[in-house]
Amino acid sequence: MHQICQKDPAGFTRTLQRVLHIPIPEPRDFAVLNADLTEIEPVERRVDTLLRAETDEGMYLLVVESQGKRDDAKRSSWAYYLSYLYAKYGWEPVLIVLTQSVATARWAARPIRLGLPGWHSLTVRPLVLSPENVPLIADETEAQRDVFLAAFSAMTHGRGPGATAILKPLAAALASTDTESAGMLAQFVESCLVDVEAKQTWKELMMAVHYFFRHEVAEKVREEGREEGRAQAKAEMVLQILDWRTVMVPDAVRERVQACTDPDQLEVWAQRAVHATAAEDLFVGDSKPLSD
């Protein structure tokens, strides 16, 4: 989960502000730093992601940790990370924990207090993003308003029963996003989906979007079949998308889609199917009307 922060630090800081309501100053620039905190002694200490955020109020270090389960050894490690980074860079470090587990989130959110009772020499208060506070975005309009947050929502809720409900609106939102960003977000989402059905649904949904045909899964599909087989698979994909979106498909539409052997035309129809409110919308703008 932490690697998505490296690819889009601005989207990640917006998510922090929106989900946690933390008054982080708007960064002017970002840099991904070396996450290796190993000292000369043979003790390896490595954070998941380390970001430097430059703001009008100074520099901040965002220490991002992905946590799959409770690990009490991390509590001393986290205190060390922040102290070491502050001593090394002289910039304010902020610890952010990402998890798909509610139980892990509640454990991670507990303050780490070092010192005497009532007089703590050091207190570490991790910021935690989890299914408890990251919104489950199942509305297409909301997903399009902030595509990064919608993708991060799918990643965060990827282990729970709500994962599948997020995928269709997110796929539609990605269809209107530039190719490179959409492809990157799509692959991160796929990597965080645990449920087999949800993962398969996501792969099939992504087959409808132009950028996905550069994805390794699509490459395998292209290598496995001939041109005719690929066209047939794309035709079935178009009809499946309409079926998932509960759009009624008349026989005339079904026959025209299944008869098409042009992969490029089928890809256009697949993209239209993501937003279509009627099956006939697939052919809007085509030179050949449905009646022919």
Side-chain angles (χ1 to χ4, degrees):
M1 290 179 70
H2 69 92
Q3 291 178 358
I4 193 173
C5 311
Q6 301 174 17
K7 298 296 184 180
D8 190 352
F12 180 63
T13 54
R14 288 198 311 271
T15 298
L16 286 177
Q17 293 167 343
R18 180 169 174 180
V19 176
L20 298 176
H21 308 291
I22 300 298
I24 298 177
E26 187 68 26
R28 294 193 305 269
D29 187 34
F30 285 97
V32 178
L33 305 181
N34 188 340
D36 190 349
L37 307 185
T38 306
E39 297 185 81
I40 297 176
E41 293 82 0
V43 178
E44 183 176 334
R45 299 183 185 274
R46 189 180 299 271
V47 299
D48 289 335
T49 286
L50 180 62
L51 299 173
R52 183 196 69 207
E54 180 182 349
T55 76
D56 291 334
E57 300 178 17
M59 294 284 195
Y60 289 88
L61 291 173
L62 304 184
V63 184
V64 186
E65 289 274 274
S66 293
Q67 197 68 28
K69 60 183 180 180
R70 175 172 176 159
D71 181 0
D72 289 328
K74 276 296 185 76
R75 296 179 68 77
S76 59
S77 296
W78 287 340
Y80 170 85
Y81 294 165
L82 301 187
S83 300
Y84 174 85
L85 289 169
Y86 184 71
K88 180 177 181 178
Y89 293 102
W91 300 327
E92 299 289 345
V94 181
L95 174 61
I96 302 156
V97 180
L98 315 178
T99 181
Q100 294 177 309
S101 164
V102 171
T104 302
R106 293 175 180 174
W107 162 80
R110 287 164 33 202
I112 304 167
R113 297 186 175 93
L114 306 180
L116 298 172
W119 190 272
H120 302 113
S121 301
L122 175 65
T123 300
V124 177
R125 298 179 61 197
L127 299 173
V128 182
L129 295 177
S130 75
E132 279 197 311
N133 55 6
V134 174
L136 195 156
I137 298 178
D139 177 75
E140 183 177 326
T141 301
E142 187 176 1
Q144 289 178 336
R145 189 159 48 241
D146 191 334
V147 179
F148 180 93
L149 179 59
F152 190 78
S153 173
M155 294 169 66
T156 304
H157 294 271
R159 290 184 179 273
T164 304
I166 309 175
L167 302 183
K168 294 178 185 178
L170 176 57
L174 287 176
S176 60
T177 306
D178 72 87
T179 300
E180 185 175 352
S181 296
M184 178 267 292
L185 291 173
Q187 293 186 50
F188 275 121
V189 169
E190 182 180 333
S191 70
C192 288
L193 294 174
V194 176
D195 181 73
V196 175
E197 182 179 350
K199 187 179 284 286
Q200 183 60 32
T201 297
W202 183 242
K203 289 180 180 179
E204 293 171 350
L205 281 170
M206 288 300 94
M207 291 295 287
V209 187
H210 173 71
Y211 64 78
F212 187 73
F213 287 94
R214 298 189 303 175
H215 188 279
E216 60 180 0
V217 176
E219 292 296 333
K220 291 177 183 177
V221 172
R222 283 204 290 268
E223 293 170 1
E224 288 172 358
R226 296 176 302 170
E227 190 70 22
E228 181 180 349
R230 292 199 295 270
Q232 183 179 0
K234 284 189 178 183
E236 290 303 317
M237 173 187 64
V238 172
L239 297 173
Q240 266 195 324
I241 294 171
L242 294 175
D243 181 58
W244 284 330
R245 301 187 63 239
T246 64
V247 176
M248 184 178 298
V249 182
D251 290 341
V253 172
R254 186 177 302 277
E255 290 170 4
R256 178 169 172 179
V257 171
Q258 290 175 334
C260 182
T261 58
D262 181 355
D264 292 336
Q265 179 64 74
L266 288 164
E267 186 172 330
V268 170
W269 289 348
Q271 293 181 53
R272 291 175 183 170
V274 175
H275 301 281
T277 56
E280 291 77 10
D281 292 346
L282 295 180
F283 313 125
V284 173
D286 291 352
S287 57
K288 178 184 177 182
L290 180 60
S291 58
D292 292 346

